[in-house]
Amino acid sequence: MALNLQAASLLQSAAAMHKDVKACGSMKETSLFGAPIGGKFEPVSSLELRRRKVAVSPIRAQTAATTPAVTNSKPESKKTARKGNVIITGASSGLGLATAKALSETGEWHVIMACRNFLKAERAAKSVGMAKENYTIMHLDLASLDSVRQFVDSYKKSGRPLDVLVCNAAVYLPTAKEPTYTAEGFELSVGTNHLGHFLLARLLLDDLKESDYPSKRLIIVGSITGNTNTLAGNVPPKANLGDLRGLAGGLNGVASSPMIDGGEFDGAKAYKDSKVCNMLTMQEFHRRYHEETGVTFASLYPGCIAETGLFREHIPLFRLLFPPFQKYITKGYVSEEEAGLRLAQVVSDPSLTKSGVYWSWNKNSASFENQLSEEASDPEKARKVWEVSEKLVGLA
């Protein structure tokens, strides 16, 4: 759930409210928060989705010069009669739940809802009308590496094939004055959003590789706020991993800083930094494993979901003003339902099999390859983040 979009510096009337306001939108410099000024947003209706079954949208190429070389997965002639199996982390609310609903409604997917709270996930699935035969709930706490390993072990023992993994869950603590930590002692935002997902994806890669599904994919949700080549990404505090000294030190606040760059703790920046790690990780997966495994690796920014549980830790005035600001001022507002359709498209659309891509959508809900910032597409930094992360999660 990658939407800590800060609008304080762009909305003067809200500047006194809080310095951390979450900005949204596309990567184009001619837009404000990703929506062309004065442009009309035209969402796809859920009725149309049911008719199209997460239909293909036109793709407009806008590949960055700094992004890794991308390749199209080879078309596979083999077909499977079974449903596809997709794991979605953080599927009990927000973007994860909307995506689970969209995929389950097609009748072509079985969704594994990987969540911390089993009862919350069950209530959520029922509340949106998901048919019981289309989903399974499994416990996963990304803030505990032991929980990640237990989840992977349980999934493997189930004998269920794995066709798509969606790393979606996120922690966002913009008002936190002091850091909190995971079970292993990592700063919570980076420990959950990046390290937990990094271990999960690494441990499930062989399962994805062995899938006989027509298209197997690993998707990591990114964020515009981690891309400093955008207006939203330049709202302070900006993402910056520095020389990774804090990450290398374990982010524990004792032997090292709790921040990746070694600086003072900032909850909003910690989230943004974790999203840079997510996008770097996707590209490193692509470089290391796409050709060998045939797995499509992708990231995306589904748009500004101004009304989402991701903002539950923000101040009340922000939660009150941010949705109408996005709807009527920036025109960048995207509903949870629409964002869920977009992520579902990256999961299932036969046209979106290009690996190493960061997907975005224009005001007409058409998907296109977007440009990552210099830091978020730096292959050397991606390699270093990968190697340090391997050590922290016990894989090296």
Side-chain angles (χ1 to χ4, degrees), residues 259-327:
M259 301 294 290
I260 291 177
D261 64 354
E264 295 295 319
F265 175 74
D266 186 303
K269 183 178 183 298
Y271 171 85
K272 294 181 178 183
D273 289 349
S274 75
K275 290 286 111 183
V276 175
C277 289
N278 285 158
M279 293 179 282
L280 288 171
T281 297
M282 177 277 291
Q283 294 165 84
E284 193 66 9
F285 263 115
H286 166 77
R287 276 185 285 264
R288 290 173 181 251
Y289 295 111
H290 171 64
E291 187 172 338
E292 171 193 342
T293 65
V295 174
T296 293
F297 300 98
S299 186
L300 73 149
Y301 171 63
C304 182
I305 312 173
E307 295 174 297
T308 173
L310 189 63
F311 293 133
R312 58 185 171 272
E313 299 296 332
H314 224 307
I315 60 175
L317 188 56
F318 174 91
R319 298 198 301 269
L320 176 66
L321 295 180
F322 193 55
F325 175 66
Q326 289 299 324
K327 283 182 180 179

